[in-house]
């Protein structure tokens, strides 16, 4: 960026608090802004308290757009309000989280504001006065380096890459109220219902720990073993493609080229052989544990710790060992789901495997 | 119901790629190209809607000469017509520019619904759908796993973080589809024969009233192979001992527990 410039972060919140990705973006923004300011934009309803939180995590200026029409998120409402704000301020760089809402909004804003946009950013940096992003392409068979031109730049950043900005008590920010002149008739989508995916205590894409199952689990009933371990670890449960294709688990479990891309701290692959299409979605994990009885399985080629053994033997032992560890480390802590498997995979095993 | 489906011709994800010597792209020679996996689901969804409500399905692609094959695949599945925007300048566009060009082509087609795959498996950008919606002035629903058409609107299911969102969207709209929305059919033999005979409309940017290609705001500096993950330690032997070692390693070495 020609000299340093202010960096803007589109904040996301859930349950009245910023999402983890927002803290990650604030940390990145601070690095990129250098001596310049970090701005955060918060849009929603009843979010006044959010400003303090964003300030504590590094925002110098918080733009608060408050309206019942801004929550739940809709493309039209947010594109109008955030779009007008950005059009007026013309920041050099806007960071957006690669979340359902971020991926929905950012390209629309880029089209509206004639901005450069890069999605799935695994890194964003300033090199020789240019903003350069890297991103996995071709189902992770290559990493692309992309440079932005001048003008407004929008970077949609993958979660779990940058460390969250730490909170500093007592930091305050300038709070600016964003005028919201929304005509309800201009909002052409209406959220009728949001139903929680019961099994997800934490969304797969945001989880620090993921326990994932493959063909080696042999059937839908054995995903209960993963639920047990995940319950103790506070982890999310995922799968490779075969269990989805066989109808053992719903599509939203799938990690890989045709599913989700995840970057957890710890990925435990159970009975997963490691087809390239699965690796495409999880090889960004910091630490990978593979449990597979086939010593030749490709997953062992990328696993930090490769356990050659029968998953049905190893998993219960691992669960017990972790339970002991957690029991020692915390008193109580997170409770495991009361009846693993019953609340989760609605229709698993009953859906027609196509 | 007249539906437009945007499609892209992309390298088959099953085959390895070779990065060009200049790093600015991949070697296309010897590479098998196919209809983008997500767009295939877009075509399937369009055909299902046509089968229920009548109407037409028109495919649009912006790409080099070979991209006609993606159109042929969609026609063989059952689409009625195809538009191929083709000209050398397309290679210099970024995703926003591509969306502008597609929007210009779609404006000339009667259309109640635009479907796209949620992303293309070559560059995974997921930019064109929402940008296209903006340029067409239409509402959007992205990464849709279920779509039901009503009177002047549609109900779309989307997976958001930890939840499923049900969205009502007024038509016409741009909908980008997720894999779970349907099982795509295979082209039938009669379909393949018919697709060979169906004329493809070729359009240049000038035909679309675009005098100069929209300038790109991002530039690919280069492609590199992904960093190789090193295989770490193998733990073999008596299960209880292995698990004990593993948990200790996760705690003390990796510090992830």
């Amino acid at each position: 960026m020609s000299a340093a410039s202010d960096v803007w972060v589109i904040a996301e919140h859930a349950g009245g608090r910023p999402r983890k990705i927002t803290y990650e973006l604030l940390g990145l923004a601070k690095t990129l802004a250098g001596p310049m300011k970090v701005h955060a934009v918060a849009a929603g309803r009843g979010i006044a308290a959010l400003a303090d939180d964003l300030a504590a995590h590094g925002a110098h200026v918080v733009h608060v757009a408050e309206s019942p029409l801004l929550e739940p998120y809709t493309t039209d409402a947010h594109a109008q309000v955030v779009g007008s704000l950005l059009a007026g301020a013309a920041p050099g760089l806007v960071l957006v989280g690669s979340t359902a809402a971020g991926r929905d909004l950012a390209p629309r804003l880029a089209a509206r504001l004639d901005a450069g946009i890069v999605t799935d950013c695994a890194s964003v940096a300033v090199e020789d006065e240019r903003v350069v992003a890297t991103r996995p392409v071709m189902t992770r068979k290559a990493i692309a380096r992309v440079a932005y031109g001048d003008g407004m730049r929008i970077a949609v950043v993958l979660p779990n890459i940058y460390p969250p900005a730490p909170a500093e008590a007592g930091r305050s920010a300038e709070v600016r109220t964003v005028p919201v002149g929304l005509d309800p008739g201009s909002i052409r989508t209406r959220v009728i219902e949001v139903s929680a995916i019961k099994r997800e205590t934490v969304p797969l894409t945001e989880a620090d720990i993921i326990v994932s199952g493959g063909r080696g689990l042999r059937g839908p009933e054995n995903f209960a073993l993963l639920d047990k371990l995940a319950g103790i670890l506070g982890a999310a449960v995922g799968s490779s493609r075969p269990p989805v294709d066989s109808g053992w688990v719903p599509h939203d479990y799938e990690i890989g080229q045709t599913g989700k891309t995840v970057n957890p701290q710890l990925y435990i692959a159970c009975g997963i052989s490691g087809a390239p299409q699965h690796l495409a979605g999880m090889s960004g994990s910091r630490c990978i544990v593979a449990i597979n009885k086939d010593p030749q399985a490709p997953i062992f080629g990328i696993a930090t710790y490769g356990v050659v053994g029968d998953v049905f033997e190893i998993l219960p032992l691992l669960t017990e060992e972790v339970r002991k560890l957690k029991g020692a480390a915390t008193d109580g802590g997170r409770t495991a789901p009361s009846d693993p498997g019953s609340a989760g995979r609605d229709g698993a095993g009953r859906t027609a495997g196509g | 119901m007249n539906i437009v489906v945007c499609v892209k011709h992309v390298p088959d994800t099953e085959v390895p790629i070779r990065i060009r010597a200049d790093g600015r792209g991949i070697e296309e020679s010897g590479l098998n190209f196919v209809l983008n996996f997500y767009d295939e689901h877009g075509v399937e969804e369009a055909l299902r809607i046509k089968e229920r409500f009548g109407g037409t399905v028109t495919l649009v692609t912006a790409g080099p000469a070979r991209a006609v094959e993606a159109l042929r695949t969609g026609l063989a599945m059952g689409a009625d017509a195809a538009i191929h925007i083709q000209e050398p300048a397309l290679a210099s566009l970024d995703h926003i520019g591509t969306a502008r060009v597609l929007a210009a082509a779609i404006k000339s087609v009667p259309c109640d619904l635009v479907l796209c795959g949620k992303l293309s498996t070559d560059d995974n950008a997921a930019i064109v759908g929402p940008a296209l919606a903006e340029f067409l002035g239409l509402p959007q629903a992205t990464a849709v796993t279920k779509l039901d058409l009503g009177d002047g609107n549609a109900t779309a299911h989307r997976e958001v973080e930890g939840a499923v969102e049900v969205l009502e969207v007024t038509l016409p709209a741009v909908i980008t589809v997720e894999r779970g929305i349907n099982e795509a059919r295979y082209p039938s033999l009669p379909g393949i024969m018919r697709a060979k005979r169906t004329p493809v409309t070729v359009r240049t940017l000038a035909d679309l009233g675009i005098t100069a290609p929209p300038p790109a705001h991002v530039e690919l500096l280069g492609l590199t192979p992904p960093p190789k993950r090193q295989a770490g330690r193998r733990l073999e032997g008596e299960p209880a001992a292995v698990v004990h070692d593993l948990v200790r390693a996760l705690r003390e070495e990796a510090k992830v527990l």
Side-chain angles (χ1 to χ4, degrees):
Chain A
M1 283 181 291
S2 44
S5 91
D6 287 1
V7 178
W8 286 51
V9 168
I10 307 300
E12 272 195 65
H13 48 93
R17 297 214 42 211
R19 280 185 180 282
K20 187 168 131 215
I21 180 78
T22 300
Y23 297 137
E24 293 167 12
L25 297 180
L26 287 169
L28 172 60
K30 184 172 186 247
T31 309
L32 294 170
M36 304 302 284
K37 286 189 170 145
V38 172
H39 292 246
V41 181
R45 179 173 46 184
I47 51 165
L50 217 56
D52 292 343
D53 201 324
L54 295 166
H57 288 85
H60 300 98
V61 184
V62 181
H63 304 261
V64 178
E66 172 91 37
S67 163
L69 295 174
L70 289 167
E71 206 162 327
Y73 167 86
T74 57
T75 316
D76 284 335
H78 281 245
Q80 286 178 68
V81 172
V82 179
S84 305
L85 177 65
L86 293 176
L93 179 60
V94 182
L95 304 179
V96 183
S98 187
T99 59
R103 288 189 298 268
D104 185 83
L105 180 66
R108 184 133 197 162
L109 287 176
R112 185 166 296 197
L113 305 168
D114 199 27
I117 178 168
V118 181
T119 52
D120 277 2
C121 296
S123 75
V124 183
V126 180
E127 299 176 14
D128 306 329
E129 306 275 291
R130 293 179 93 181
V131 180
V132 176
T134 60
R135 57 190 307 270
V137 293
M138 304 275 168
T139 57
R140 261 187 210 264
K141 294 190 192 93
I143 306 293
R145 288 182 77 244
V146 184
Y148 289 87
D150 296 332
M152 197 185 298
R153 306 165 186 89
I154 299 178
V156 185
V157 182
L158 292 170
N160 296 351
I161 300 232
Y162 288 97
E168 293 175 41
R171 276 193 92 252
S172 65
E174 179 195 343
V175 177
R176 296 185 196 166
T177 304
V178 179
V180 180
L182 278 174
D183 164 15
S186 68
I187 302 169
R188 295 163 295 178
T189 54
R190 197 163 59 85
V191 178
I192 302 172
E193 185 193 338
V194 178
S195 50
I197 298 172
K198 292 190 195 74
R199 65 184 175 85
E200 289 200 346
T201 46
V202 52
L204 262 176
T205 46
E206 293 178 16
D208 281 331
I209 304 179
I210 291 174
V211 184
S212 191
R215 199 195 304 272
L217 287 183
R218 294 197 208 137
E221 65 286 355
N222 293 322
F223 270 77
L225 296 168
L226 304 192
D227 292 337
K228 261 197 194 120
L229 177 58
I232 296 163
L233 286 169
V237 176
S239 87
S240 61
R241 186 165 173 174
V244 173
D245 285 348
S246 307
W248 300 349
V249 293
H251 166 255
D252 61 52
Y253 271 60
E254 192 187 332
I255 292 162
Q257 181 199 310
T258 52
K260 297 183 169 82
T261 299
V262 296
N263 315 289
Q265 295 294 308
L266 172 61
Y267 189 93
I268 304 176
C270 308
I272 290 177
S273 63
Q277 94 97 15
H278 182 66
L279 303 188
M282 50 66 78
S283 54
S285 311
R286 198 164 78 80
C287 175
I288 296 171
V289 172
I291 306 168
N292 198 305
K293 65 175 188 289
D294 173 12
Q296 303 304 315
I299 191 92
F300 287 126
I302 64 154
T304 323
Y305 302 106
V307 177
V308 183
D310 180 356
V311 73
F312 297 108
E313 242 184 306
I314 302 285
L315 259 181
L317 288 166
L318 179 59
T319 306
E320 194 44 42
E321 190 84 15
V322 172
R323 188 196 306 278
K324 276 192 278 188
L325 176 72
K326 291 282 166 184
T330 63
D331 47 303
R334 195 184 156 282
T335 49
S338 51
D339 182 9
S342 68
R345 289 170 299 283
D346 13 314
R350 294 193 296 278
T351 49
Chain B
M1 199 56 147
N2 296 310
I3 307 168
V4 170
V5 189
C6 299
V7 299
K8 189 173 183 187
H9 198 224
V10 298
D12 182 349
T13 56
E14 297 298 317
V15 293
I17 55 159
R18 284 172 300 137
I19 294 168
R20 281 200 331 234
D22 66 2
R24 292 293 181 106
I26 55 168
E27 287 287 358
E28 289 202 6
S29 60
L31 208 54
N32 184 35
F33 281 80
V34 294
L35 169 60
N36 173 41
F37 170 89
Y38 291 97
D39 299 343
E40 207 176 337
H41 290 280
V43 174
E44 176 66 37
E45 198 61 20
L47 295 174
R48 291 183 186 200
I49 295 168
K50 181 180 98 166
E51 283 155 8
R52 280 195 62 192
F53 300 99
T56 57
V57 174
T58 304
L59 310 172
V60 183
T61 194
R66 62 168 165 75
V68 74
E69 292 307 322
L71 298 173
R72 295 259 176 247
T73 303
L75 289 167
M77 286 170 75
D80 303 288
I83 301 169
H84 187 175
I85 309 161
Q86 195 185 334
E87 94 160 63
L90 291 179
S92 69
L93 299 182
D94 60 12
H95 293 101
I96 298 287
T98 303
R100 270 187 207 279
V101 167
L102 288 168
I106 292 168
K107 278 177 183 158
S108 67
V109 183
C111 164
D112 310 299
L113 178 66
V114 181
L115 293 172
C116 313
K118 82 162 176 175
L119 56 79
S120 295
T121 55
D122 53 356
D123 50 23
N124 298 275
I127 292 170
V128 168
L132 181 64
E134 174 68 17
F135 294 134
L136 292 171
L138 297 178
Q140 70 189 48
T142 50
V144 167
T145 53
K146 185 170 185 276
L147 185 65
D148 295 304
L149 294 191
D151 187 15
N153 61 35
T155 306
H157 291 235
R158 309 172 59 229
E159 198 192 322
V160 299
E161 283 70 27
V164 175
E165 178 185 82
V166 184
L167 202 62
E168 192 179 81
V169 53
T170 53
L171 295 180
V174 174
I175 307 281
T176 77
V177 304
E178 177 55 276
R179 173 201 169 189
I181 195 166
N182 57 38
E183 287 290 334
R185 70 195 65 188
Y186 289 102
S188 65
L189 194 57
I192 293 167
M193 302 314 289
R194 199 175 37 81
K196 283 186 175 149
R197 295 191 306 268
T198 307
V200 169
T201 310
V202 178
R203 289 270 179 269
T204 62
L205 294 188
D207 294 338
L208 302 175
I210 299 171
T211 45
H217 296 303
V218 295
E219 178 200 358
L220 176 67
L221 297 178
L223 294 174
T224 49
K228 271 267 177 277
R229 275 193 85 104
Q230 293 301 316
R233 271 202 295 144
R234 286 282 179 116
L235 305 170
E236 292 181 77
E238 200 273 314
V242 164
V243 166
H244 188 77
D245 281 354
L246 173 66
V247 170
R248 198 170 42 81
L250 292 176
R251 262 195 92 165
E252 293 166 17
E253 289 172 22
K255 297 187 167 60
V256 285
L257 279 188

